[in-house]
Amino acid sequence: MFKVKYFEYIRTSAVIVIALAIAFLIISLVSNQPVKTIGIFLFEPLSSKGHIGNVIEMAIPLMFTGLAVSLLFRANMFNLGAEGIFYFSGVVTSVLAIHLTLDGWLHPIVAIAAGSIVGALLSAIPGILKAKWNANELVTSLMFNNILFGVGLYLLNYHLRDAKAFANVSYKFEKTALLSKMVPGTRIHTGLIIVIVLIIAAHLFLYKTKWGYELRMTGINRNFARYSGMKTAKVIILVHLIAGFIAGMGGSVEVLGMYNRFQWTSLPGYGLDGALVAMLAKNNPISVIGAALFLAYIRIGADMMARLSDVPSEMISIIQAIIILLISAEQFLKFWKNRMLLKEAKEA
């Protein structure tokens, strides 16, 4: 018998199944070989070590931003500023990767630390505005995304751009700044270890510390937490600092792990994808791992499907939209939850 405490996991699984079923139905209508196309989408990401590596490579930045956004959502802060912070921290890290000369083990540490600290400081601004003046964090964070992108693009065009390259890219990074690869034949880098450690630390922080308890209580009911003696303004600023640090580290790790020069001429999109990962994970740090891997898997599957069949990769947008709609719909399967509650109450 299913219990109420497992309801959210069941609900999320049902959302994924429905989204995939609708996607398969559409594929069946538009593809000349629907069975083959669906097979490519489902199994091609597992067909080789390189494809599996692609899934994990894509999941790493999703884990960083998903973790950052999940902490903000847990505090009931609908902040989407991880997008701009991810980008701008990558720019800051690139500056140090180009112009700084350090020993191989120290160079990436200094560059990533700088990007992470900048991310934390930038994220603190919407946090302070929310804590002190109750400014809407969604509006301020989205505005900051545009500001940070504009400043970052200016730095790339006028201070970092390699004039000898036939593209709008920076000078090459020093080889000592690059993160080492973990699995031969893939681009899986040591950022995977960093993000796993961060996720475990966030889980312990959230559920095993006083500050984590205050964060969760502030998210559930800010007024109640304040009347209970908790300094909710400090909690809001703290969670923004931590989330900005994580998102900034994500951008820094992605740049040094996947590229040898900075080449983002638009926002990479990982910050907004982090919101989807957080929703799938139900704001649980450990569940971020599975949510990020799932999203990366279906994206690689969609890319392979576009290459090897007659269905475009835009199919993935339909799946993501359905997932967001159903997960955000509080009434979806609520009748079943009420029945489970009533049944457990009677048994008790």
Side-chain angles (χ1 to χ4, degrees), residues 105-145:
W105 64 272
L106 186 60
H107 199 168
I109 293 176
V110 171
I112 291 172
S116 304
I117 293 170
V118 168
L121 295 176
L122 291 172
S123 180
I125 298 173
I128 293 171
L129 292 175
K130 176 66 176 181
K132 299 297 184 182
W133 294 286
N134 201 32
N136 188 295
E137 70 278 7
L138 175 60
V139 175
T140 54
S141 62
L142 289 176
M143 293 302 100
F144 262 90
N145 285 344

Side-chain angles (χ1 to χ4, degrees), residues 114-299:
S116 304
I117 293 170
V118 168
L121 295 176
L122 291 172
S123 180
I125 298 173
I128 293 171
L129 292 175
K130 176 66 176 181
K132 299 297 184 182
W133 294 286
N134 201 32
N136 188 295
E137 70 278 7
L138 175 60
V139 175
T140 54
S141 62
L142 289 176
M143 293 302 100
F144 262 90
N145 285 344
N146 294 325
I147 293 170
L148 294 177
F149 171 63
V151 175
L153 199 58
Y154 168 81
L155 293 174
L156 173 61
N157 286 326
Y158 294 99
H159 296 281
L160 300 177
R161 185 171 179 270
D162 185 357
K164 296 179 181 179
F166 295 99
N168 192 10
V169 295
S170 74
Y171 295 102
K172 285 190 175 182
F173 301 152
E174 294 289 334
K175 291 184 178 179
T176 53
L178 302 178
L179 294 176
S180 58
K181 300 297 184 286
M182 294 173 56
V183 181
T186 72
R187 295 189 298 171
I188 300 174
H189 50 82
T190 49
L192 179 62
I193 298 174
I194 296 173
V195 72
I196 295 297
V197 170
L198 268 182
I199 288 171
I200 295 172
H203 176 81
L204 295 175
F205 167 79
L206 201 58
Y207 296 105
K208 302 295 182 181
T209 68
K210 169 190 172 185
W211 302 282
Y213 174 77
E214 291 181 347
L215 187 156
R216 288 184 284 126
M217 290 302 103
T218 300
I220 294 171
N221 190 321
R222 185 179 175 185
N223 290 330
F224 175 80
R226 183 169 61 249
Y227 294 145
S228 299
M230 299 178 190
K231 297 179 180 179
T232 55
K234 288 186 177 180
V235 171
I236 291 171
I237 296 172
L238 175 64
V239 72
H240 277 81
L241 283 169
I242 295 173
F245 184 88
I246 295 171
M249 183 175 290
S252 302
V253 166
E254 181 69 4
V255 165
L256 298 184
M258 296 295 289
Y259 307 98
N260 61 1
R261 58 172 92 210
F262 188 84
Q263 56 191 56
W264 292 337
T265 55
S266 62
L267 292 174
Y270 289 118
L272 299 179
D273 291 337
L276 178 56
V277 171
M279 292 172 70
L280 282 170
K282 308 308 295 183
N283 302 330
N284 186 319
I286 298 297
S287 299
V288 163
I289 299 173
L293 286 171
F294 168 76
L295 186 57
Y297 187 93
I298 62 174
R299 287 189 170 181

Side-chain angles (χ1 to χ4, degrees), residues 71-106:
L71 291 176
L72 288 166
F73 284 3
R74 201 61 186 259
N76 200 25
M77 298 288 110
F78 200 73
N79 184 315
L80 297 179
E83 177 75 8
I85 291 170
F86 190 93
Y87 177 88
F88 192 77
S89 294
V91 175
V92 172
T93 298
S94 298
V95 172
L96 297 182
I98 294 168
H99 298 295
L100 201 61
T101 302
L102 292 170
D103 292 334
W105 64 272
L106 186 60

